[in-house]
Amino acid sequence: MNRSDSLFAAAQRVIPGGVNSPVRAFRGVGGRPFFVDRAAGARIFDVDGNAYIDFLGSWGPLILGHAAPAVVEAVVTAARRGTSYGAPTEGEVELAERITAAVPSMDMVRLVSSGTEAAMSAIRLARGATRRDVIVKFDGCYHGHADSLLVKAGSGGATFSLPDSGGVPASLARLTVTVPFNDLAAVQRVFRERGAEIAAVIVEPVAGNMGVVPPQSGFLDGLRAVTRDAGALLIFDEVITGFRVAYGGAQQRYGVQPDLTCLGKIIGGGLPVGAYGGRRELMEQVAPLGTVYQAGTLSGNPLAVAAGLATLTVLRDPAVYDRLERLGARLEEGLGAAARKADVALTVNRVGSMLTGFFCAGPVTDYAGAKRSDTARYGRYFHAMLARGVFLAASQFEATFVSAAHSDADVEHAAAAAAEAVAAPA
Ligand code: KE4
């Protein structure tokens, strides 16, 4: 038994599924997860001495790659001054100023410790500000594990949702309506039937949690219009896309301004940070100014803030995004060529440096389309790529990420590996 397997056996005795987040357990691709020893740049090393080019990047935060020197230095320096105070610090002000300067719709921002907290708090604020209870979300979009967001579509398009997890009360799930992504007509129908009850629509402006699915032309503008007309709020969950698809996020890339934005991942540079923010008149309803309560012992933690600031400092250079775009495009091209050569149905969706190859004929424009993928073939592809030194997301319904630490050679290696791996035999 290798060291990863013995660690996994030990882990399963004391941690549910042996992991601290379900998707890490490889259940979407079969097999057992490797345990990480360390990582640097675009490489990740397991405890058995194997090295992989990492195209997961911790599910999105590591846009600069692992152990980026500036980030490590910032965290070490901060740690020497103390690790948490429960009192305000200058770094929190600086990070809030950077975020609100970068994200067009954010006058004010509150730092929290995860994307889940950000989305949960934004939902509560929307309900408090509008004094309405109903939330609209999209099939296949994920916004963390707050109860109101762990729901699945009810029977009909505009009906209320059902719980999508044990422990979520049906009564709470019924306050969320779920509709297909990119289906503006379905959203308009829901607003015709329930507009007066709807507090907010929450959307990943570029979906990442069904695999990467870009917004179709007019979709985000349409959501902006229908929510504004109904007095509901539009929430962009940019936990993945924030500082990923542009320095100002998807709202800058697509030119649509939401009322509230959720952030996470990249703004923490690999340490636990989330954030939510938006227009001043909304954010001034958050405690201690207003009645919408939200709090956190480690919110604005000095080490996480230092890592976030160091990351955003590097990202201020537009050339970084030019390079991410070029590498992302090359990887998309390489995956497509591999599938064509092997005569395998593969639909590659990409926005900037986030992309997904769906093992099905295209187009993939929503979750129903993504679910047509051959997930067994994705599992074989995942392991065949791993065997060739390339680490991808352990699920067909997730994103692959290129970082600033990846070289042209890394991308060429992944494309060459895919040329064999896409046709991995059952
Ligand atoms: P966290 O609570 O995991 O920091 O963020 C939740 C969240 C919110 N919004 C979006 C758009 C997200 O993608 C996420 C978390 N993403 C998942 C996978 N894409 C994290 C991986 C995991 O669950 O382990």
Side-chain angles (χ1 to χ4, degrees):
M1 179 183 280
N2 67 23
R3 183 134 174 70
S4 273
D5 287 347
S6 60
L7 282 170
F8 191 44
Q12 289 176 90
R13 285 192 289 275
V14 286
I15 303 171
V19 291
N20 284 309
S21 200
V23 72
R24 302 178 191 172
F26 275 24
R27 288 176 176 251
V29 292
R32 293 183 297 276
F34 62 80
F35 276 58
V36 178
D37 173 56
R38 63 188 176 83
R43 294 263 174 317
I44 193 163
F45 305 86
D46 72 17
V47 293
D48 292 295
N50 301 302
Y52 309 98
I53 304 172
D54 182 7
F55 285 95
L56 179 65
S58 181
W59 306 94
L62 300 181
I63 195 167
L64 301 186
H66 291 283
V71 174
V72 172
E73 182 52 39
V75 172
V76 168
T77 302
R80 290 207 173 95
R81 304 167 65 88
T83 56
S84 179
Y85 310 114
T89 62
E90 181 179 0
E92 292 163 78
V93 180
E94 189 178 353
L95 184 55
E97 287 173 341
R98 291 272 193 89
I99 289 170
T100 53
V103 182
S105 63
M106 293 171 96
D107 298 333
M108 299 185 90
V109 64
R110 169 61 65 81
L111 299 178
V112 294
S113 297
S114 69
T116 291
E117 268 192 276
M120 174 175 70
S121 308
I123 293 289
R124 184 178 306 131
L125 174 54
R127 284 170 161 160
T130 62
R131 301 183 188 287
R132 299 176 181 178
D133 295 340
V134 173
I135 297 296
V136 178
K137 75 174 289 292
F138 294 89
D139 261 338
C141 283
Y142 174 70
H143 307 288
H145 61 87
D147 285 351
S148 288
L149 297 165
L150 287 182
V151 299
K152 60 189 173 206
S155 55
T159 58
F160 286 118
S161 299
L162 305 169
D164 198 17
S165 162
V168 174
S171 58
L172 185 59
R174 275 200 295 279
L175 293 178
T176 303
V177 177
T178 304
V179 290
F181 187 72
N182 272 323
D183 188 344
L184 185 59
V187 178
Q188 290 163 337
R189 254 193 321 277
V190 171
F191 272 88
R192 277 197 300 276
E193 293 180 19
R194 291 190 166 83
E197 305 167 66
I198 297 173
V201 170
I202 185 167
V203 65
E204 293 180 65
V206 175
N209 286 285
M210 56 182 96
V212 175
V213 178
Q216 290 182 316
S217 173
F219 177 59
L220 297 178
D221 292 292
L223 293 182
R224 179 63 285 177
V226 72
T227 47
R228 180 173 282 129
D229 293 350
L233 300 188
L234 179 58
I235 304 173
F236 273 10
D237 178 346
E238 297 223 40
V239 167
I240 288 180
T241 56
F243 296 92
R244 167 64 63 177
V245 299
Y247 188 70
Q251 55 195 272
Q252 179 189 50
R253 191 178 182 113
Y254 294 99
V256 176
Q257 291 213 4
D259 298 295
L260 292 173
T261 299
C262 305
L263 296 171
K265 297 185 193 268
I266 288 172
I267 64 166
L271 272 73
V273 177
Y276 67 102
R279 294 202 316 273
R280 184 173 302 279
E281 69 266 22
L282 289 173
M283 294 305 289
E284 289 181 340
Q285 299 187 48
V286 176
L289 293 181
T291 64
V292 178
Y293 193 73
Q294 172 267 312
T297 301
L298 297 175
S299 296
N301 173 270
L303 274 61
V305 164
L309 281 169
T311 301
L312 298 194
T313 297
V314 175
L315 295 177
R316 279 193 297 206
D317 176 0
V320 174
Y321 290 96
D322 295 340
R323 184 159 182 278
L324 288 169
E325 175 60 35
R326 182 173 61 77
L327 291 175
R330 176 62 195 114
L331 184 57
E332 174 187 14
E333 181 192 14
L335 297 179
R340 285 191 298 278
K341 180 163 172 276
D343 194 23
V344 167
L346 186 81
T347 300
V348 184
N349 285 353
R350 177 181 70 88
V351 178
S353 57
M354 61 188 279
L355 63 158
T356 296
F358 295 94
F359 280 88
C360 66
V364 175
T365 60
D366 60 13
Y367 192 37
K371 285 192 288 189
R372 288 185 289 107
S373 300
D374 180 342
T375 51
R377 181 181 282 276
Y378 181 84
R380 296 196 299 273
Y381 165 71
F382 171 86
H383 285 287
M385 291 292 271
L386 208 54
R388 291 165 177 78
V390 177
F391 179 41
L392 302 173
S395 163
Q396 168 70 92
F397 307 111
E398 294 286 356
T400 290
F401 295 100
V402 182
S403 81
H406 284 95
S407 65
D408 291 86
D410 291 335
V411 172
E412 293 311 319
H413 176 92
E420 299 168 354
V422 289

